[in-house]
């Protein structure tokens, strides 16, 4: 059985927002972007989020990030033996956040939420390894 341990995650992302601007004829009180779709590239992988700003100062977002990478086998030779190393990184996470917008007409937000972390790192070495 796999145990789940809560961890604090600091993620750095580059976000590209996609949306359509409201027409000039709409009422000025209406928010032009109540729903947002974001493509993201960052330390948690490649992915995206969908957000909904349901109030002037509140919104929610959910999404998914994914990246898989496998190294080729690396061989290190010394006088005694040859050691082969390989590794696999699997990043998958799903963030769910509550966004607080301090200013009514700004897209600046403070987010609090949870990240379902399914990241894995596996490695393998074959050969004699001597540690001093």
């Amino acid at each position: 059985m796999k145990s789940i341990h809560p961890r604090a995650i600091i993620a750095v992302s580059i976000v590209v927002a996609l949306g359509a601007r409201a027409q000039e004829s709409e009422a000025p009180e209406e928010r032009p972007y109540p729903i947002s779709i974001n493509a993201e590239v960052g330390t948690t992988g490649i992915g995206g989020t969908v957000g909904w700003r349901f109030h002037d100062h509140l919104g929610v977002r959910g999404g998914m990030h994914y990246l898989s990478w496998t190294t080729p086998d690396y061989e290190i030779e010394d006088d005694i033996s040859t050691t082969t190393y390989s590794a696999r990184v699997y990043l998958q996470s799903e963030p769910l956040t509550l966004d607080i917008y301090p200013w009514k007409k700004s897209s600046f937000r403070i987010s609090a939420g949870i990240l379902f972390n399914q990241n894995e790192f596996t490695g393998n070495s074959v050969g004699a390894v001597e540690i001093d």
Side-chain angles (χ1 to χ4, degrees):
M1 182 174 179
K2 189 174 183 180
S3 61
I4 299 173
H5 303 285
R7 295 182 184 118
I9 302 289
I10 297 174
V12 178
S13 297
I14 298 171
V15 178
V16 177
L18 305 173
R21 263 198 199 277
Q23 299 294 324
E24 295 296 326
S25 62
E26 291 184 16
E29 289 95 34
E30 290 187 33
R31 289 181 305 279
Y33 299 109
I35 295 177
S36 64
I37 300 170
N38 300 311
E40 301 177 353
V41 176
T43 57
T44 56
I46 299 168
T49 58
V50 175
W52 176 42
R53 189 169 176 174
F54 58 87
H55 186 270
D56 288 336
H57 298 285
L58 294 173
V60 292
R61 279 183 300 132
M64 182 174 177
H65 301 107
Y66 175 81
L67 181 67
S68 180
W69 180 66
T70 304
T71 66
D73 291 344
Y74 291 105
E75 291 186 356
I76 298 177
E77 296 181 23
D78 58 20
D79 295 339
I80 301 170
S81 66
T82 300
T83 305
T84 304
Y85 297 93
S86 63
R88 178 178 178 266
V89 176
Y90 175 80
L91 304 175
Q92 181 176 339
S93 57
E94 297 86 23
L96 182 61
T97 62
L98 173 67
D99 298 327
I100 301 167
Y101 296 87
W103 299 282
K104 184 177 180 179
K105 295 183 180 184
S106 174
S107 61
F108 175 80
R109 64 180 177 246
I110 299 169
S111 300
I114 188 166
L115 178 76
F116 299 100
N117 184 2
Q118 299 173 26
N119 299 338
E120 293 179 4
F121 175 81
T122 57
N124 187 9
S125 69
V126 177
V129 177
E130 183 178 322
I131 301 174
D132 291 334

